[in-house]
Amino acid sequence: MPRWALRVPTEHAVIAMGERGVRSAALRLAPLVHGEGDLKGFTPTLIGIARAKGVSAYVGDGSNRWPAVHRLDAAHPYRLAVEAAPAGSRLHAVGDEGVTFREIAEAIGRRLRVPVAGVAPEDAGDHLGFLGPLVSLDSPTSSAGTRERLGWRPTRPALIADIAEGHYFND
């Protein structure tokens, strides 16, 4: 079983504890947690692939969306959840609710000065390696409930602006 699949039963157990009166909450982070100091996440991995291949790629037409959150914004809802989340809450730490993968590839391509191109879904694994099956997923995620329940407001740069800042490209 992949490690990410283990979180589903854990989350169900946390929510069940809330049903028994324990003030518990499950906080889901966006898959793209980004920011200066991010050395091993999805963003630097995508940049490394684009560098190595000489092209920044997206799958299909690139319209699939991914949620993202700046790493400094992601820390705040943990504290807020401990202090104020209702028992059994499911929360999302998401700043960008759905950045298209094409926009991500274009931002990387601009900084690296490499072409940006779509790859066919059947070629995604060859071009993007282990990320191939993941990057074509469309997974917009709303943080409206988290913002409403906890008063959380992300204030750090969004993903595309963060990529444009250039810290990912300092060698």
Side-chain angles (χ1 to χ4, degrees), residues 59 119-126:
V59 178
V119 296
E122 60 271 15
D123 297 329
D126 289 338

Side-chain angles (χ1 to χ4, degrees), residues 31-73:
L32 284 169
V33 178
H34 60 90
E36 191 163 1
D38 174 13
L39 303 175
K40 295 183 180 184
F42 281 121
T43 305
T45 301
L46 291 168
I47 292 166
I49 292 168
R51 264 195 183 117
K53 302 278 183 166
V55 64
S56 184
Y58 54 88
V59 178
D61 68 1
S63 64
N64 58 302
R65 298 157 295 169
W66 271 39
V69 66
H70 194 281
R71 60 195 298 225
L72 297 177
D73 283 331

Side-chain angles (χ1 to χ4, degrees), residues 62-149:
S63 64
N64 58 302
R65 298 157 295 169
W66 271 39
V69 66
H70 194 281
R71 60 195 298 225
L72 297 177
D73 283 331
H76 194 209
Y78 281 99
R79 181 181 61 84
L80 294 172
V82 168
E83 293 174 355
S89 297
R90 292 181 199 266
L91 306 167
H92 295 275
V94 173
D96 293 309
E97 295 188 353
V99 182
T100 68
F101 219 84
R102 184 178 189 138
E103 290 176 284
I104 297 167
E106 289 170 345
I108 292 169
R110 275 191 301 277
R111 289 300 304 193
L112 290 177
R113 295 189 173 123
V114 299
V116 177
V119 296
E122 60 271 15
D123 297 329
D126 289 338
H127 188 87
L128 295 160
F130 78 95
L131 289 177
L134 300 173
V135 298
S136 60
L137 297 175
D138 186 40
S139 59
T141 304
S142 174
S143 62
T146 304
R147 293 172 193 234
E148 181 182 315
R149 285 187 199 118

